[in-house]
Amino acid sequence: MLRLALACLVLAFGSQARSAEPILKQMHGTWRSENRRILIDTERMLGNTDDTRPFQRDALTLRNISGRMIVFEIGRKRFIGLFDRNELRLTGDGIPDSEILHRR
């Protein structure tokens, strides 16, 4: 499934997408802070931002990749994430400033 996602990225973004595989692996996982939990499943290109609906999955769409900074959407919510190993600095819809989440 990851290869299918990469193939779609290559078609959409050309050679820029070939370097996306490490980024997709970096994004994959469940990210948590004291106030927030975000599930990012890059193998299926799905995600969840709603703790009250733990089995809900919405489409994950990558809008822009610039190094470790990624603009992405889960469902209708847009986020900007700065990924650094097991730490994610996140801002976007529903986040007043920015939050630091950790992969667990």
Side-chain angles (χ1 to χ4, degrees):
M1 196 61 141
L2 180 60
R3 292 189 190 277
L4 176 61
L6 286 172
C8 291
L9 285 170
V10 169
L11 289 174
F13 296 105
S15 63
Q16 178 185 6
R18 289 187 187 100
S19 64
E21 184 171 1
I23 297 299
L24 292 174
K25 287 181 181 178
Q26 174 62 39
M27 291 178 69
H28 188 84
T30 301
W31 300 87
R32 298 175 195 259
S33 70
E34 290 182 18
N35 305 320
R36 188 171 314 278
R37 181 191 65 82
I38 293 182
L39 179 130
I40 299 175
D41 181 350
T42 57
E43 291 178 3
R44 293 168 191 80
M45 295 306 284
L46 297 172
N48 179 311
T49 60
D50 188 351
D51 278 343
T52 64
R53 302 174 75 184
F55 299 105
Q56 173 71 32
R57 300 293 183 268
D58 295 311
L60 170 65
T61 307
L62 303 181
R63 293 293 176 195
N64 192 0
I65 300 171
S66 180
R68 297 178 308 144
M69 187 180 74
I70 302 168
V71 179
F72 62 97
E73 294 175 350
I74 297 177
R76 294 182 177 171
K77 294 182 179 181
R78 184 172 284 198
F79 301 97
I80 301 171
L82 183 61
F83 292 84
D84 186 20
R85 295 184 186 100
N86 290 323
E87 183 176 285
L88 165 60
R89 183 172 296 274
L90 187 71
T91 190
D93 289 343
I95 303 172
D97 189 15
S98 69
E99 285 191 36
I100 296 176
L101 292 83
H102 293 89
R103 185 183 356 234
R104 311 244 165 118

